[in-house]
Amino acid sequence: MEALSKRLDTYYVAIKKLILKYQSPSIGLFPLDTTLIGKESHHAHVRDNVYCAAAVWALSLAYRKLDDDRGRTYELQHSAVKCMRGILFCYLRQADRMEKFKRTQSWQDALYSTYHTITGDPVGDIAGQLEIDAVALYMLYLVQMIASGLQIIYTNDEVDLIQNLVYYIERAYRTPDYSMHRTSDKNDGNRELRASSIGMVLAALHAINGFNVFGPAGTSPSIIYVDPDAYHRNSTIFHTLLPRESNTRDTDAALLLSIGYPAFAATDEELIRKTKTAILNKLMGSYGLKRFLNDSYHVELADPAADNSMLSERRKNLECEWPIYLIYLSLDAIFNDNEEESQKYRSLLKNLIYNVDGMDIVPEFYFVPKNVTHLEQLKPKSQTRISASRYPRSLFLQGQSLYYILKLLVDELITVDDIDVIGRHSPSSSWRQYSAKGGALFKIQTSSVVVQISLITESRRLQSLLATYGIDTQTREQVEPIQIWTPNELVTRFEKLGFNKNLGLHGRPKRPMGPLGTSKVYRLNGIPIISYPLMLDQTDFYMSLDSSVFTNNLKNGLKFIHDNWNMTGRPIVCVFLREFNIRRSHFRELFDLIYTLKTGECNGVRIRLGKLQVLLSSACSESLDFIKEDISKILVPQIKRKDTREIPSPREIRSFSMTAKNILLSEEVNEEEIDEEPLKLLSFQDLERDFQETDNLLKKMAILHILQEQYGPGHYFIDGNILHCINNVYSTACNGLAWSAIRYGAGLLNKVVDSLAPSITTMLVKGKQVTLGIFGYEEVVISSPLTPAEIKLILYSKCACHNVREAVLQQELVIFLADLISSSPHLFTGMQRLRIGWIIQAMREMMKLILNSNKCIESLSPSMIRKLLIQLLSSKFHELPKAESEKRWLYHRILVGAVNRVPENFYENVWNILYKAPDGICVSGKILPRIPTIAEMTCRGMAFALRVEEMLSGISKPQYRQIAVELLTVIAAIVQRNPELQFQGVINLNKIIVNAIGLFAASNASFAGLTLEEQEDHFYSSSPYDKNSTTIFLARAVVNQLLEGCVTVTEQSPCSIT
């Protein structure tokens, strides 16, 4: 024991001298610059401070094992606690910013990451401060330390702050941030969705869910709640992004922290292996790891004044190398019980650290001196690098802290279980949880999940009707005292969780509850409360009025819950049935689904169908004790929740068979399109008269739209105001399933579908860009996640002004596309940019050209829209039989061009062309320059593909875009067969296409008298394969450009075009 004490004393002296010496006496923070003489000598970063606290805490855990620790355990523990509470103090003073960020998700409202070590004031510019991973790292270590027995959280105000920190980070899956390795240019464009940040958040959310921050002595008010659906979305996006860091970075050393120590967030072993392999292959150097490729930090260029357009090329192989990542790799190997690998990285590290006064010092990074940069570029890893620090002569405290944690583990003074109390490093199936008194924990399911379902009807007459078909249901009053809340009611009550008047925190933001959150039983004063899923709520957005969509949502929802359930107890799904759901057109579909549920299995999901009272005993339960309102005002008797049709009158009972018949025969109405222009010329009185006389709901909506534009929604109109009339007509249209009028009304009411922002994020992380806007008008390109409010603004500012109905129709397309890109990614092969307005235009053209239908697309039900979309994405229109269409190639080019699909290897082909074109490629006023594109990107990189799409986005006609794609393919073939070619000047695609059409028209005498537009139509209708193919004329046009001197041929090899 004496020997152990001496070994620990050695570490104690080192940590006191190299770390604790610099701890602020006021709030316990550690500075970035330990020289204490620079202008940033009192700046403290959250991430560095967490690791300093972790090192001190780790040594205290070692001293715990001594019988006589001479008070050092207490001293070290409270030094760590002081640092963690110092960060907490800084966050408390930023509560107003936290509250703003919860609403806006804007980097301008983010918490600062850097604070003054003495006062706790935020320091620095707000630009670049949004580092969600730093907040998550703090929360992860907070849980680890409290679980080890430390008392860090003292008051209920602090509990509420931690709960609000959860709200702050839980939308990381759609919050672009600067992350751990931001570039020196902290502009808005450097924010991205980064796997390293999301992974750290994922670990923090899993660790803190159901955790009592007061420790073992705490009660239910100090338990932290995490939205299970937010956790799942973070997990999905994280594992989708891996092994990449983001859309612009193939890899990043920061990913080591997410897939290994301290987060251990990834659960897919193969994905972990791929990510780690990519990091080592691309970033490993002789002096540690590069942070990421083309990292400009502290790169000293031999000629800084040279052409900036080639800057990234000139920085190649000169990135600084950081020894700290060897420590992370060695720690990860220890946690994985791989001593050989850990020793390998420790050996590399040993050659990089230096000794001062008998103590090991970890340098921050190694850089290539300016005088040998050209030699290093010629022969990578050939030159000797020099160690340096961000602050000259300053210690790198983060590196020192991690180094001592590693040494304590290597010397077996602590174990991995000591510093990973909650078992993050264990296999995910055995992750440990620390909870008390009522938290619903996240866990990995090791057995098949049984989804429990209770069928609830809105009225007794619907219950009686379903009973005639052998379907047992319950009404609200029959399940009392169980309360059935709408999804919005549940969201409203959860706003009280984390509410704190003293701190100005308003609790949980008004975010919808997802299917996992509504599959739990909530208890308030012992009374059970359940809610039905938002996806089945027909009052939220009109899509669920379509029974086919309703049943599809239910099936997909059950599958989703089954596959992603991660809580103790069984999920319970309340299916609230309305008369809308049994319209004749989809009557059989719904009933088939219910009968399938009765068999006990649906789509591979085990189902238990039963009465709500029976299912409660095995359901997952969550407490609502945080609600402090008068219970009598919240728990409304179910009899008061019923609509007027709940209790059938004697007449209804006698005529039940007629009522049932009326329900079943209810059918979608026929809608006649109208011309709105004549209506705009009418006076207010004439519009009012037309409104009252017409039965056409679409015309009523058009009149209300005109009046709303002219007089505003609050203007008096027929026993109310215009907005009231819009709502009434919208309700009537919903009852009659008049889809065109429904969409018109939803657009006028500025409705937004739930999950719009996550759906766009799903498409973005799949490597796609999304554009919103009407075909032929301005489009907004979305390349990073947006908030629901930002998306709503785009839709109603860019779409509604041209077509009110399309503002909501585009929302349907976003939801369907996100679903399809997850379930059927092959449908999106060759599609880099999803232009929603163009896809809708393609669907219009498909209905007219292929399906021979003149029906307006806005009058189709959402389920028909989905079927039409799938047909559009999966069809090959040029394979239509010749007898069916003489213009099948025109149709093909219109539809393929509209969905922006390109052939295989297209972007690589454009890269090869660009390599031969010094002045770039242009089409329809947009140019793709050779420099700096070639220097900064790669031929297979996502960034280059998006740049090509940006060039093509200037084309206004789908068929013209497709011809441009074919032309680029032809030029690529010529360049490939004749590698000696070198273009001079810009390759003008418009000019070449005009020449090709001219050659095509001259080849056939019958085209002589046609207009240019008619000649173009014939050209677009021609096959690219036959003897008079478009390919031949495009190639001849390219050759003509060659003969006109726009192409240079080297003397070494003759040019031969075949």
Side-chain angles (χ1 to χ4, degrees), residues 153-321:
I153 306 300
Y154 294 167
T155 67
N156 286 325
D157 288 338
E158 293 172 1
V159 173
D160 290 335
L161 182 80
I162 298 301
Q163 182 63 66
N164 279 271
L165 280 176
V166 170
Y167 302 146
Y168 181 89
I169 68 171
E170 71 180 3
R171 285 200 165 179
Y173 63 87
R174 63 171 181 80
T175 305
D177 77 334
Y178 297 98
S179 190
M180 184 174 175
H181 296 154
R182 62 172 182 252
T183 60
S184 56
D185 179 16
K186 297 178 285 189
N187 60 41
D188 186 62
N190 283 324
R191 294 184 302 111
E192 286 189 289
L193 276 187
R194 303 185 189 275
S196 58
S197 288
I198 300 173
M200 194 63 71
V201 167
L202 189 64
L205 293 179
H206 189 281
I208 207 164
N209 180 57
F211 186 78
N212 199 313
V213 291
F214 279 169
T219 56
S220 59
S222 52
I223 291 175
I224 302 302
Y225 169 84
V226 173
D227 180 0
D229 294 279
Y231 173 83
H232 169 262
R233 283 173 174 162
N234 278 294
S235 178
T236 300
I237 299 302
F238 173 62
H239 287 91
T240 301
L241 280 171
L242 290 180
R244 298 179 63 89
E245 159 72 344
S246 67
N247 279 346
T248 62
R249 287 187 194 170
D250 288 342
T251 191
D252 191 305
L255 286 172
L256 290 173
L257 285 68
S258 292
I259 63 173
Y261 175 82
F264 302 102
T267 56
D268 186 330
E269 291 297 329
E270 179 62 20
L271 207 50
I272 294 173
R273 186 192 63 78
K274 286 182 178 178
T275 305
K276 191 172 180 180
T277 300
I279 293 171
L280 296 177
N281 288 344
K282 296 181 180 181
L283 304 180
M284 177 62 84
S286 302
Y287 295 82
L289 271 70
K290 302 177 177 69
R291 299 192 303 178
F292 54 90
L293 295 178
N294 286 325
D295 182 9
S296 62
Y297 185 79
H298 213 284
V299 173
E300 298 193 352
L301 298 174
D303 183 11
D307 184 10
N308 283 336
S309 64
M310 299 292 289
L311 198 56
S312 61
E313 187 72 17
R314 293 167 57 218
R315 288 198 300 256
K316 190 174 181 181
N317 299 323
L318 300 180
E319 301 95 333
C320 293
E321 295 178 0

Side-chain angles (χ1 to χ4, degrees), residues 123 215 229 248 278 311 451 454 528 550 629 642 750 779 806 911 1001:
V123 295
D229 294 279
T248 62
L311 198 56
V451 181
S454 175
F550 180 89
E629 300 176 55
K642 301 188 301 290
N750 287 3
E779 294 175 283
E806 193 158 323
W911 177 276

Side-chain angles (χ1 to χ4, degrees), residues 23 54 89 223 237 245 371 394 430 464 470 473 528 536 550 564 573 608 686 813 891 901 906 932 954 971 1012 1031:
Q23 187 170 24
F89 171 72
I223 291 175
I237 299 302
E245 159 72 344
N371 61 324
S394 172
S430 58
S464 300
T473 61
L536 304 182
F550 180 89
N564 298 287
V573 179
R608 183 188 178 193
D686 291 336
L813 265 290
Y891 300 165
R901 198 188 298 276
F906 173 72
I971 297 175
L1012 178 61
T1031 303

Side-chain angles (χ1 to χ4, degrees), residues 614-679:
V614 176
L615 301 178
L616 287 184
S617 60
S618 56
C620 175
S621 182
E622 185 92 34
S623 172
L624 297 181
D625 289 348
F626 57 84
I627 298 178
K628 306 300 181 184
E629 300 176 55
D630 184 356
I631 303 301
S632 62
K633 295 180 180 179
I634 298 175
L635 302 178
V636 180
Q638 301 289 10
I639 189 70
K640 295 183 180 180
R641 294 178 180 269
K642 301 188 301 290
D643 62 16
T644 56
R645 298 170 295 173
E646 182 67 35
I647 302 176
S649 66
R651 177 176 296 179
E652 285 180 314
I653 294 173
R654 288 193 300 271
S655 61
F656 171 75
S657 60
M658 182 59 69
T659 302
K661 181 179 179 182
N662 290 337
I663 293 175
L664 297 177
L665 289 178
S666 296
E667 187 57 273
E668 299 175 23
V669 299
N670 291 321
E671 298 177 276
E672 182 181 346
E673 288 293 309
I674 60 166
D675 184 4
E676 295 188 24
E677 293 304 317
L679 293 175

